[in-house]
Amino acid sequence: MEELIHKIQTSDNLLETLNKLGDELREEHNRAAIHAHLPTLIPQFSKFLLQPLPKLHLETLRVVINVLANSDANRDFFTDPQDSHVRGFWDVIAGSRVADMDDVTKFVFIMLGQFIYDAAHKLRYVAYLYDVGVVRAVCDMITEETWRDIGEFVYEALAGREMRSGRDREFLRLVVDMRVDEEEEEGEGEDEEDEEMGSVWVDLIGLNKPSNEIYNKVLEVIPAKNSSLIKRKLFALASELAVDESLTAAIDVISTTSDSYVFAACCITIGNCIYDKPTFEATRTAVDNQLGIAKLAALYFDKNKVSDVVQIQSIHMWTNLLDTRAAQEITTSYQSQLLAITKIVLDNSDYYKEITALYFKFIKKLIRLSGDHKSMPSNLVEFILDNDKAQQQEVVIELKYLLLQLYPEQYAGLVGDVVQSVNTRNVLEQLKTVAIVNNALRDGTIKLDKLEEAYLVPLGRVLSQLLTQLDTQGNETWEFKAFQNNLKYVAATTLGLVEEGNSDLVDTCNRIIERS
């Protein structure tokens, strides 16, 4: 390899020499050995690239690509801000690569890719290439044809910057208009590659600051996409790009779109506009003025058809938008549709736990706002309870708490379920429920044939574990004091249910009460 390097420095038979050196640099030990020669080789590379000889450009770039491959030491040298020859090399690259896509340009793109793949100092590398103008030059070359070769590099370069220039922001604003992930018919491999590059395209759009313009453009492009992955990413991105003005757009689009991802994205936008009482009132007024709550419910539960479980995140809109009127509209007119959505949620709960939790938050609010047990979606509740599995235990147990708190007489059969174990995630809600059950048992609202076996024995085990927590925690936070007070109340109400002979439970309750 030393002889080849010498020939390059003397410009001896350049094309053949560069070709052989490129071959040699496939070996890791040669990539390490050439590092010491880079100070003298880089000026030669710049000189070769300035000559109007495309074949010389290709061989030179092939050498540089292999120098950089899997070598952070060589990448470090090629991004040394103190080296004027390195800067000169990149000035040549930035200044000359503005022509149409050709083989030389593709090699430049491959070379730039070496700085982001398996690179220990990727952020430093792309920051340097941004500062020397290479990223800007590449952005000027981005088209639907070049995207596949350089799109990921551009994303990494711009994503790593805390401050972006006006030209960067303008470039990002225009990216959404590019068509970079259209599926081809050549075969499965091409489709997978298209999908991967389309995913990077969505990530690049996501670097935009929220704006109604970009939000609307994202909604417009979703229906044209064939890939469910790309649709999912655009659907998630839309809500992140929405601003206050997007509420009006979302309500308008929701009434006309036939794309279920667009519909779900608009619902989430509406839901996100609500975070306190004033925003609830403002959003509800906007919905009533532009559409009407009954029409919105009809669109959601009748016209729109869920084609992907992630679209059920749109239920967030109803969780925030619900009031007594809306709850009655839904429970009166759409119980069969609710059952269908609930089945999808439960069937997929193993893999979509966050969506399951989000959906059950809506169900609990719907039950609270139903007004009374007769108005409650009882068929829906029974379906959930009949299909309870270990996978849904966390969300279903919270539903059982609510049912016992509101309607202990109607759901007395759930009493034993709430004392099977300590709910470490929400012990205060568990204690609140047990206290209500205790009072219902004491005043006769609930009657259990086997009170001791079905309820008091498992309750004793739960209280014993909670007593241990009470003894070991001993802090004075608000949460601990609430836990302590609720536990004492449960212990006191439990004593009123205990018959003679259950000395362990009596002792546990007394120790809880005596705990200062």
Side-chain angles (χ1 to χ4, degrees):
M1 193 173 71
E2 294 288 339
E3 181 181 351
L4 294 174
I5 293 172
H6 177 73
K7 286 184 176 181
I8 287 174
Q9 291 170 341
T10 58
S11 300
D12 183 14
N13 198 6
L14 278 178
L15 291 179
E16 181 180 348
T17 302
L18 286 168
N19 184 268
K20 289 181 178 179
L21 180 59
D23 291 342
E24 293 284 335
L25 289 169
R26 292 174 178 172
E27 301 295 331
E28 183 177 353
H29 67 276
N30 286 332
R31 289 197 294 273
I34 203 171
H35 181 81
H37 299 280
L38 292 179
T40 56
L41 284 175
I42 288 179
Q44 297 297 316
F45 295 155
S46 299
K47 183 175 69 175
F48 300 158
L49 292 172
L50 285 171
Q51 297 181 36
L53 300 170
K55 289 185 178 180
L56 181 59
H57 296 171
L58 289 173
E59 294 296 348
T60 301
L61 290 169
R62 178 170 174 265
V63 168
V64 176
I65 289 167
N66 289 345
V67 166
L68 296 170
N70 297 317
S71 174
D72 282 323
N74 292 342
R75 293 164 179 159
D76 288 344
F77 193 91
F78 266 83
T79 53
D80 182 358
Q82 307 302 320
D83 193 300
S84 60
H85 292 304
V86 168
R87 175 58 187 266
F89 173 83
W90 291 116
D91 285 344
V92 172
I93 296 295
S96 61
R97 302 271 68 81
V98 292
D100 293 334
M101 187 70 167
D102 56 20
D103 290 339
V104 175
T105 306
K106 288 182 179 180
F107 268 47
V108 170
F109 290 169
I110 294 170
M111 176 182 67
L112 294 175
Q114 302 305 315
F115 291 97
I116 64 170
Y117 300 120
D118 300 320
H121 309 129
K122 177 174 62 178
L123 290 179
R124 192 175 78 206
Y125 299 151
V126 295
Y128 174 84
L129 294 172
Y130 183 97
D131 291 340
V132 298
V134 171
V135 175
R136 180 69 265 156
V138 170
C139 286
D140 290 340
M141 298 177 64
I142 284 282
T143 65
E144 294 164 14
E145 289 72 32
T146 61
W147 173 262
R148 186 191 300 272
D149 299 279
I150 199 62
E152 190 169 0
F153 171 82
V154 171
Y155 169 74
E156 294 290 351
L158 294 181
R161 298 199 66 76
E162 294 182 5
M163 299 293 292
R164 300 187 184 102
S165 70
R167 290 182 69 185
D168 293 338
R169 292 191 295 272
E170 177 64 14
F171 168 75
L172 291 172
R173 189 180 66 81
L174 296 174
V175 166
V176 70
D177 295 321
M178 295 173 58
R179 298 294 180 263
V180 300
D181 70 316
E182 302 306 324
E183 294 183 7
E184 301 175 6
E185 299 180 357
E186 281 82 349
E188 184 177 345
E190 287 82 356
D191 289 350
E192 291 176 355
E193 187 174 356
D194 287 340
E195 190 173 71
E196 181 179 346
M197 294 314 301
S199 181
V200 175
W201 170 71
V202 178
D203 293 337
L204 193 58
I205 296 172
L207 298 181
N208 280 283
K209 291 183 177 181
S211 80
N212 197 43
E213 177 192 7
I214 304 300
Y215 171 80
N216 281 316
K217 285 189 174 183
V218 168
L219 294 184
E220 289 172 7
V221 301
I222 290 175
K225 301 304 170 186
N226 298 314
S227 162
S228 60
L229 170 65
I230 304 304
K231 280 179 171 285
R232 279 185 171 195
K233 294 193 69 168
L234 287 168
F235 148 73
L237 178 61
S239 61
E240 297 175 11
L241 293 171
V243 293
D244 290 344
E245 306 94 278
S246 302
L247 173 61
T248 300
I251 298 173
D252 286 341
V253 172
I254 210 171
S255 62
T256 58
T257 185
S258 59
D259 187 284
S260 53
Y261 288 95
V262 173
F263 187 93
C266 291
C267 290
I268 292 173
T269 301
I270 296 170
N272 285 347
C273 290
I274 302 172
Y275 44 86
D276 56 20
K277 186 175 180 180
T279 55
F280 168 81
E281 292 174 348
T283 304
R284 186 57 184 269
T285 299
V287 170
D288 284 337
N289 290 342
Q290 290 181 243
L291 198 61
I293 203 70
K295 178 69 178 299
L296 180 60
L299 288 170
Y300 190 94
F301 293 104
D302 264 346
K303 180 183 176 183
N304 181 59
K305 304 300 179 185
V306 174
S307 61
D308 186 338
V309 67
V310 300
Q311 295 163 10
I312 296 175
Q313 293 174 80
S314 62
I315 205 70
H316 165 69
M317 174 187 70
W318 285 115
T319 303
N320 287 357
L321 202 57
L322 274 182
D323 60 6
T324 302
R325 180 162 63 95
Q328 289 176 347
E329 176 72 27
I330 292 170
T331 54
T332 301
S333 305
Y334 302 108
Q335 285 216 30
S336 63
Q337 291 88 336
L338 280 173
L339 280 170
I341 297 173
T342 302
K343 186 177 188 308
I344 295 173
V345 171
L346 296 182
D347 287 347
N348 291 276
S349 61
D350 293 357
Y351 309 102
Y352 296 96
K353 296 185 183 300
E354 291 184 4
I355 293 176
T356 304
L358 191 67
Y359 185 72
F360 271 78
K361 184 178 179 181
F362 158 74
I363 292 297
K364 289 190 292 182
K365 189 170 183 179
L366 187 66
I367 291 171
R368 287 193 192 96
L369 292 172
S370 295
D372 55 45
H373 183 256
K374 291 182 179 179
S375 302
M376 192 185 72
S378 53
N379 290 343
L380 175 64
V381 170
E382 294 304 324
F383 177 80
I384 293 171
L385 297 178
D386 290 343
N387 288 274
D388 184 17
K389 301 183 297 184
Q391 289 87 345
Q392 283 100 45
Q393 185 63 29
E394 286 187 3
V395 291
V396 176
I397 196 65
E398 303 249 344
L399 177 62
K400 292 176 180 178
Y401 292 161
L402 177 63
L403 294 171
L404 283 168
Q405 290 169 18
L406 296 177
Y407 311 112
E409 184 177 5
Q410 289 82 359
Y411 290 98
L414 303 178
V415 165
D417 295 353
V418 301
V419 290
Q420 289 304 305
S421 61
V422 173
N423 186 339
T424 56
R425 194 170 64 91
N426 197 353
V427 69
L428 291 181
E429 200 67 19
Q430 182 180 24
L431 290 172
K432 176 183 176 181
T433 307
V434 171
I436 290 172
V437 169
N438 284 353
N439 289 332
L441 286 166
R442 184 185 60 192
D443 63 24
T445 303
I446 295 178
K447 292 182 173 61
L448 295 180
D449 292 335
K450 298 180 180 180
L451 176 64
E452 187 82 14
E453 178 184 342
Y455 183 68
L456 292 179
V457 170
L459 175 59
R461 290 193 292 266
V462 168
L463 292 178
S464 179
Q465 294 177 51
L466 293 176
L467 173 61
T468 301
Q469 291 186 26
L470 199 63
D471 289 334
T472 56
Q473 290 184 15
N475 59 57
E476 297 302 318
T477 63
W478 177 89
E479 290 85 358
F480 178 77
K481 289 180 179 179
F483 165 65
Q484 184 181 46
N485 292 335
N486 280 272
L487 183 57
K488 285 185 176 182
Y489 183 77
V490 167
T493 55
T494 300
L495 285 174
L497 303 173
V498 179
E499 299 178 356
E500 292 184 10
N502 197 337
S503 58
D504 289 343
L505 181 54
V506 170
D507 179 61
T508 298
C509 290
N510 285 330
R511 287 174 62 191
I512 291 172
I513 293 169
E514 292 166 2
R515 175 73 156 76
S516 59

